[in-house]
Amino acid sequence: MADYLETLYPGYGQRLQIDELLYEGHTDQQHLVIFRNALLGRVMALDGVVQTTEADEFIYHEMLAHVPILAHGAVRKVLVIGVGDGGIVREIVRHAGIAEIVAVEIDASVIELCRTHLPLHSAGALDDPRVRLVIADGLDFVATTDERFDVIISDSTDPIGPAASLFSREFYRNCQRCLNADGVLATQNGVPFLQSAELTDTAQRLAGTFTDWGFFHAAVPTYIGGSMSFGWGSNSGKARATELAVVRERFAQSGLRTRYYNAEIHQAAFALPQYFLELIGAAHKVP
Ligand code: AG3
């Protein structure tokens, strides 16, 4: 039986047994593999990095979607940068109050291959009439659009390869421009224990861009190395300061049934370990 070896980190990594290979090939932009693993269900990897597994995707997708949406509380229009497997869009369409979702993806074939071989991730959400799919570069989209959003979610790959520009000052500045007054940007920002420079760099860039910025976190088992950080930027401190009782009320009202997210987890996710705070603090010392 063949193994899939993740190549994200030199000298350390995870091995996943390929119990059934479902797809392997090169898209225009990336190397994509989808396979079945007995323990994790279907697994999708891009350019040597595990992107998602059926077993633990709920943690990532629930946190990256519901934290900003319920912190804001009155979201009508959302922008997703990086549709990929469709897991984020699936969580967003579960909010009845959301009227419009613009979903941008640079690599159209990732969407199609995931629809076919990883169908539980998008679960039909990409056919929801509120969703408008746009095949474009994420940075170009935010740099040129006239549209405004209540929440922007960046579900990118790591800042190596096609997603590097989604961690740039220019990207954050354009997201800031595209947000409504109390709007929130939430981003995938790597695993700080192993990708420490990413947390320091992003902190510095967010600090130079947004009135209110910070991080929240969650441990996703197949993003090895401990907790994953999620970036946060807003033109007002309102959403991040939402009190527990209010988050509880909004969560109850939403009728969402989740497997990881709840109001207490939402609030606790903003409490950062000391080593995160030190890396963020280092941002202020970088000239
Ligand atoms: N995209 C983020 C995967 C990041 C993996 N990086 C890592 N382990 N450091 C996930 C796509 C899910 N829709």
Side-chain angles (χ1 to χ4, degrees):
M1 201 66 70
D3 284 337
Y4 180 82
L5 295 177
E6 190 174 46
T7 56
L8 182 57
Y9 307 112
Y12 172 68
Q14 56 185 338
R15 176 190 67 83
L16 296 83
Q17 186 164 297
I18 302 176
D19 289 311
E20 183 190 356
L21 184 64
L22 298 164
Y23 179 85
E24 204 229 320
H26 287 271
T27 69
D28 291 348
Q29 323 253 352
Q30 302 164 99
H31 175 257
L32 173 80
V33 51
I34 302 177
F35 59 90
R36 203 179 50 74
N37 171 277
L39 201 58
L40 301 170
R42 293 184 181 212
V43 178
M44 188 268 282
L46 287 170
D47 290 343
V49 182
V50 172
Q51 295 299 314
T52 193
T53 86
E54 284 181 337
D56 67 356
E57 59 85 11
F58 67 99
I59 304 173
Y60 178 84
H61 292 124
E62 288 180 13
M63 288 301 278
L64 191 49
H66 303 319
V67 171
I69 291 171
L70 292 173
H72 181 286
V75 176
R76 299 287 296 163
K77 187 164 172 178
V78 181
L79 172 64
V80 178
I81 301 292
V83 177
D85 50 70
I88 287 290
V89 175
R90 180 197 70 210
E91 291 304 313
I92 297 170
V93 300
R94 298 175 66 198
H95 292 267
I98 293 180
E100 221 183 321
I101 300 144
V102 180
V104 177
E105 170 61 49
I106 192 169
D107 194 343
S109 42
V110 176
I111 300 181
E112 287 321 312
L113 290 164
C114 289
R115 272 208 228 224
T116 306
H117 301 293
L118 202 61
L120 301 180
H121 270 61
S122 51
L126 299 175
D127 300 318
D128 188 293
R130 295 170 292 166
V131 176
R132 174 159 43 101
L133 270 182
V134 179
I135 302 303
D137 175 83
L139 175 58
D140 283 350
F141 183 88
V142 293
T144 53
T145 185
D146 295 330
E147 297 185 72
R148 294 294 177 267
F149 304 91
D150 301 309
V151 164
I152 301 176
I153 295 175
S154 171
D155 179 7
S156 70
T157 53
D158 293 273
I160 37 178
S165 67
L166 304 182
F167 294 79
S168 66
R169 268 175 211 286
E170 200 186 346
F171 177 73
Y172 297 127
R173 204 177 314 116
N174 280 294
C175 288
Q176 187 269 335
R177 187 185 64 81
C178 296
L179 284 173
N180 288 324
D182 294 321
V184 176
L185 166 71
T187 67
Q188 181 284 111
N189 197 72
V191 172
F193 182 74
L194 295 169
Q195 298 171 302
S196 54
E198 202 174 311
L199 185 57
T200 302
D201 290 350
T202 302
Q204 190 191 11
R205 292 168 193 169
L206 293 175
T209 307
F210 289 96
T211 315
D212 185 62
W213 63 277
F215 295 89
F216 60 105
H217 70 118
V220 183
T222 58
Y223 302 151
I224 54 165
S227 245
M228 166 165 270
S229 64
F230 299 102
W232 179 282
S234 179
N235 298 322
S236 103
K238 206 171 143 194
R240 204 157 63 108
T242 306
E243 282 173 17
L244 178 59
V246 176
V247 179
R248 265 195 197 132
E249 175 62 24
R250 287 177 186 166
F251 181 47
Q253 287 294 319
S254 74
L256 287 172
R257 287 189 54 217
T258 51
R259 292 174 62 210
Y260 187 84
Y261 178 92
N262 60 41
E264 289 72 20
I265 285 283
H266 175 132
Q267 200 182 47
F270 288 91
L272 301 180
Q274 210 58 24
Y275 74 95
F276 277 39
L277 294 175
E278 279 163 19
L279 290 167
I280 293 166
H284 301 293
K285 295 182 197 108
V286 177

